[in-house]
Amino acid sequence: LHPEHMARTVRELGAKVGLALDGDADRLIVCDEKGNIVNGDQIMAVCAKELLYQRKLRKKTLVATVMSNVGLELAMREIGGQLLRCQVGDRYVVEMLRAQGCNFGGEQSGHLVFLDHNTTGDGVLAALQLLAIMIRKNKPLSELAAIMTPLPQVLHNVRMAERIAPEHIPDFSEALKAAEAELGTSGRILVRPSGTEPVIRVMVEGEDAGLINTLALGLCDVILRAERR
């Protein structure tokens, strides 16, 4: 939850890399030798490129969720691969991996699934895979992670009195279409209700940080206006 402590220690010690696992060690977040946080999307880009280079990435395809940054999609396209998206949750990643005959995927949060080695997310396994790439390539993580440039992304959570689907909110569908038209092909908008609480998550990605924040706040305002009625 707080990799900044790890990153600070890496800078203080002059270490090559920092590894952070969650409580049950199924998620991994790392930092490079400069103390910059490297999230699950960037780790997937590094590992997918290496698997593709070794001709071990089945169907030249990486599986990620709808929450992964569009920069990961662009990075995969750049190296001759592709990205398939599924619902949020590592179990959906595994389901798609099996259904599509693929062998590697994960989540931005650091759930990484190397299906040739394990059937679920494993932070220690993911760390070993990443370290092995650093050793084989003899390159610092900052250089390896540069394969992916994350696009600006904003995420807002709007709490409701009760759970409701976004499409049932008055005027929201029209507002969403207008926002998507303004954003054009330079980004994407994802609106989804939380699966566990009365919250609607509004995520907008794009090249213009100011524009995506304005669009996200506008959509949130439509939701809040409906809530106040």
Side-chain angles (χ1 to χ4, degrees):
L1 289 176
H2 301 286
E4 63 272 12
H5 302 307
M6 167 195 68
R8 184 171 61 248
T9 304
V10 165
R11 288 193 295 270
E12 290 172 353
L13 297 177
K16 298 282 188 181
V17 64
L19 309 174
L21 304 171
D22 65 338
D24 57 356
D26 64 351
R27 283 183 293 172
L28 171 74
I29 296 294
V30 305
C31 76
D32 64 20
E33 74 285 358
K34 300 175 183 178
N36 298 315
I37 301 299
V38 179
N39 67 20
D41 282 348
Q42 294 163 294
I43 299 171
M44 282 191 285
V46 172
C47 293
K49 181 180 180 180
E50 179 67 7
L51 288 169
L52 196 60
Y53 173 77
Q54 295 181 357
R55 298 183 180 180
K56 292 180 179 179
L57 185 66
R58 289 187 207 156
K59 298 187 174 180
K60 298 182 179 180
T61 298
L62 171 67
V63 173
T65 77
V66 293
M67 294 303 292
S68 279
N69 192 283
V70 73
L72 179 58
E73 204 165 322
L74 298 175
M76 287 301 298
R77 200 179 303 160
E78 182 70 21
I79 62 176
Q82 66 170 341
L83 179 72
L84 290 182
R85 293 183 184 270
C86 63
Q87 295 181 59
V88 175
D90 57 322
R91 72 184 184 97
Y92 295 112
V93 173
V94 174
E95 284 180 8
M96 181 166 280
L97 286 172
R98 288 174 168 161
Q100 299 295 326
C102 301
N103 63 336
F104 178 51
E107 295 189 279
Q108 188 182 70
S109 62
H111 270 127
L112 304 179
V113 182
F114 294 84
L115 206 55
D116 290 337
H117 303 289
N118 205 347
T119 57
T120 187
D122 186 330
V124 176
L125 172 62
L128 291 171
Q129 294 290 325
L130 183 63
L131 292 171
I133 294 170
M134 292 173 63
I135 292 170
R136 277 197 298 268
K137 298 298 184 183
N138 192 28
K139 291 181 178 179
L141 183 55
S142 60
E143 184 177 341
L144 294 171
I147 180 181
M148 176 189 161
T149 303
L151 264 65
Q153 181 186 81
V154 293
L155 174 64
H156 294 289
N157 296 322
V158 184
R159 185 164 293 277
M160 312 287 287
E162 57 184 6
R163 294 178 70 179
I164 182 173
E167 59 268 22
H168 294 153
I169 297 173
D171 303 325
F172 187 77
S173 294
E174 293 78 6
L176 178 59
K177 288 178 183 177
E180 288 175 334
E182 187 170 355
L183 186 61
T185 58
S186 63
R188 66 188 182 108
I189 299 174
L190 176 67
V191 180
R192 67 182 189 92
S194 167
T196 57
E197 54 184 337
V199 168
I200 293 179
R201 308 192 196 284
V202 178
M203 188 271 284
V204 185
E205 284 180 344
E207 297 172 349
D208 187 328
L211 175 62
I212 64 172
N213 194 51
T214 297
L215 294 177
L217 291 174
L219 291 172
C220 292
D221 189 53
V222 174
I223 298 171
L224 290 171
R225 285 204 307 269
E227 178 74 358
R228 289 193 290 265
R229 288 178 184 174

